[in-house]
């Protein structure tokens, strides 16, 4: 006898996602998408997300804080890439900018300097100008602001030239 796929109930999904959200921070849009993939409609998905928010399982500010921290510290993303990733999850607003301001500028420059020094060792270019622009493009693709990347890159290449 063929097995009949039974859709989960709203309560079953609420229980599942409350456990998941208790273990790690989740974005409301991600949970809503997962509920809809389980076969439930948009209204049900919104009700589940609203309950998770009301019960404290989902907190957008807490999620953004954790996301910004992790993407900066572990992935070495710049502010621009972090903002774009959060926008894709439907998280925009002044609180995103406030949390991004908490990234220490010295640490931001230090991370950028480190990734540029590491990348500079593996960049192949015919001229120094080409090398400079390849590294600049790399930094911008990681989400660092072009003007900040430009200044840091000048420092990194100057120290490489004087050190060799």
């Amino acid at each position: 006898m063929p097995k009949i796929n039974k859709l989960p109930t709203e309560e079953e999904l609420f229980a599942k996602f409350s456990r998941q959200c208790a273990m790690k921070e989740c974005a409301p849009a991600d949970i809503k998408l997962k509920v809809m993939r389980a076969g439930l409609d948009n209204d049900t998905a919104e009700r589940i997300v609203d309950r998770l928010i009301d019960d404290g399982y989902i907190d957008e500010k807490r999620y953004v804080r954790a996301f910004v921290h992790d993407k900066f510290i572990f992935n070495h993303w710049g502010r621009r890439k972090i903002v774009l990733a959060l926008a894709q999850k439907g998280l925009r607003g002044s609180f995103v900018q406030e949390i991004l301001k908490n990234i220490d500028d010295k640490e931001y420059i230090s991370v950028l300097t480190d990734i540029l020094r590491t990348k500079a060792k593996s960049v192949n270019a015919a001229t120094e100008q080409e090398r400079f622009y390849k590294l600049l493009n790399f930094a911008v693709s990681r989400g660092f602001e072009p003007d900040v990347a430009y200044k840091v890159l000048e420092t990194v290449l100057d120290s490489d030239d004087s050190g060799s």
Side-chain angles (χ1 to χ4, degrees):
M1 182 192 267
K3 189 174 183 180
I4 299 174
N5 287 340
K6 182 185 119 195
L7 288 179
T9 66
E10 184 174 335
E11 282 306 312
E12 290 170 339
L13 286 177
F14 176 77
K16 174 184 175 179
F17 290 119
S18 62
R19 283 189 305 273
Q20 181 180 331
C21 293
M23 288 188 276
K24 70 174 194 156
E25 297 298 337
C26 298
D30 292 341
I31 298 299
K32 183 177 176 182
L33 184 64
K34 288 178 182 181
V35 170
M36 292 177 71
R37 281 188 186 151
L40 298 181
D41 61 275
N42 187 48
D43 291 339
T44 305
E46 285 184 18
R47 273 196 313 274
I48 290 173
V49 169
D50 288 343
R51 277 182 64 194
L52 290 168
I53 290 170
D54 292 343
D55 290 355
Y57 291 107
I58 293 177
D59 181 326
E60 286 184 353
K61 288 182 182 177
R62 201 173 57 211
Y63 175 79
V64 169
R65 201 172 294 113
F67 187 89
V68 168
H69 175 269
D70 290 354
K71 294 304 180 188
F72 176 65
I73 297 297
F74 301 119
N75 297 65
H76 299 144
W77 285 8
R79 290 182 179 111
R80 291 171 59 151
K81 189 167 184 172
I82 293 170
V83 167
L84 288 172
L86 288 169
Q88 286 180 328
K89 294 179 176 289
L91 298 167
R92 296 179 179 90
S94 59
F95 70 92
V96 170
Q97 293 305 319
E98 282 300 313
I99 292 169
L100 284 170
K101 286 180 187 175
N102 291 335
I103 297 175
D104 181 60
D105 288 336
K106 288 181 182 176
E107 189 176 3
Y108 193 71
I109 299 299
S110 176
V111 166
L112 178 56
T113 302
D114 290 345
I115 66 172
L116 285 173
R117 280 198 177 117
T118 303
K119 184 67 175 175
K121 295 174 186 174
S122 66
V123 169
N124 296 320
T127 65
E128 279 303 306
Q129 184 179 15
E130 181 184 358
R131 181 174 185 234
F132 183 91
Y133 284 108
K134 281 185 175 186
L135 289 168
L136 182 63
N137 284 336
F138 171 74
V140 170
S141 75
R142 294 297 293 259
F144 291 91
E145 298 83 353
D147 57 327
V148 174
Y150 192 92
K151 289 175 189 171
V152 170
L153 189 52
E154 284 181 326
T155 307
V156 166
L157 293 179
D158 284 347
S159 68
D160 284 354
D161 291 343
S162 64
S164 15

